[in-house]
Amino acid sequence: MSNVSELPFFECLVLEAGALNQVAPFLVKHESKRLVLAADGNTYEAAGRDLELKLREAGLEVTLCLLEPAGTGDVVADEASIVQLLLAIEPGLTDALIAVGSGTIHDIVRFAGHKSGIPFISVPTAPSVDGFTSAGAPLIIRGIKKTVPAVPPTAIFADLNILMKAPQSLVAAGFGDMLGKYTSLFDWKFSHLTAGEPYNEQSALITERALNSCVKHAREIGQRTEEGITVLMTALIESGIAMLLFGQSHPASGAEHHLSHYWEMEFLRRGHRALLHGAKVGVACAEISRLYHAAADSGMYPAGEPEALRQHGEQVRVWLADVPSEDEIRELLRQAGGPSSLEELGIDGELFGRSLNEAHLVRMNRHTLLRALNEA
């Protein structure tokens, strides 16, 4: 995937070694002279410092916004980070924003860009999430996780030289985010069948193809080979494109994401350091697979049998046949070098039990099988 200029959502999409060298020429071509570069301490060292130098050498004016970590030690996409970035923007003068980092930094920048009407450029530093291309920003507002309207980047410059140096934990998180598509794609079909939620076959096929590519190359991803990182980053971008095509996050976000969001809010409430999004999603996918197979295949329900399963059980079981077992998902997570269990994440039994009962409340406009099981 290199210079995919025919994609309708981006003016330029580059995934190759040395992509960082193409950022300044792109901005010069578009006469974007005054820039705000957003990064944190880690991503500035990974790519931001080098990029800042290249931009200044090209004669561009750069305001550096080093986003400050919260009390837990991590940068959080919350009100404080958003205000910090907005204060660095000069209305009427700033021409473009640059997000140098992974998911959280992109969420902060895309929201600020949306509110200020200023386009932003994406420079991923790790293949850790599928949200680089997203038009929505998952933010923590007053301690509650909310996905709000924002904008996708006008261009993405994903440099393999940088991505291959990303910590294994971030690479494994990206793989975990992709594995979550097993249950999100199932939940999407389930919600379409049982609640009439909109469905798009093209977006589903793009997501499924990206997922299968990652699973096929799980060991290469775990070994951080150039092929493995290229496959993973391509899949993450394609998953994001599927969401853009559909206009909502259904292709890539089901009950496994609702569990992840629930855990994130609880960790924030407790003052604990945040867990990587994709690490949570991967483990949550295994837990949801266990719950779904037990319900549909073995008749083991948390409460009673949902009406949706009584009516559509045969079709549900056909779709669930495409969702690997809990053990298979955990093995894939291990191959990618990431956590595969609740214990490794530090999710205690009380929190897990509560999240299984309440996580569907995070997105009450989604009719997942988890919601049906809890409402039976």
Side-chain angles (χ1 to χ4, degrees), residues 10 12-14 19-20 23 26 51 97-102 106 109-110 119-125 131-134 152-159 233 237:
F10 317 106
C12 185
L13 197 167
V14 183
L20 202 67
V23 179
F26 175 85
L51 178 57
L97 311 178
I98 306 175
V100 179
S102 54
H106 276 70
V109 174
R110 81 176 72 256
F120 89 95
I121 306 300
S122 165
V123 180
T125 55
F132 295 112
T133 59
S134 176
T154 57
I156 301 174
F157 297 92
D159 193 322
M233 192 67 197
I237 290 172

Side-chain angles (χ1 to χ4, degrees), residues 193-216:
L193 175 67
T194 62
E197 291 192 37
Y199 187 80
N200 180 275
E201 190 67 34
Q202 182 186 12
S203 291
L205 288 173
I206 291 172
T207 306
E208 185 177 12
R209 182 184 65 188
L211 165 62
N212 291 337
S213 177
C214 281
V215 171
K216 182 180 177 181

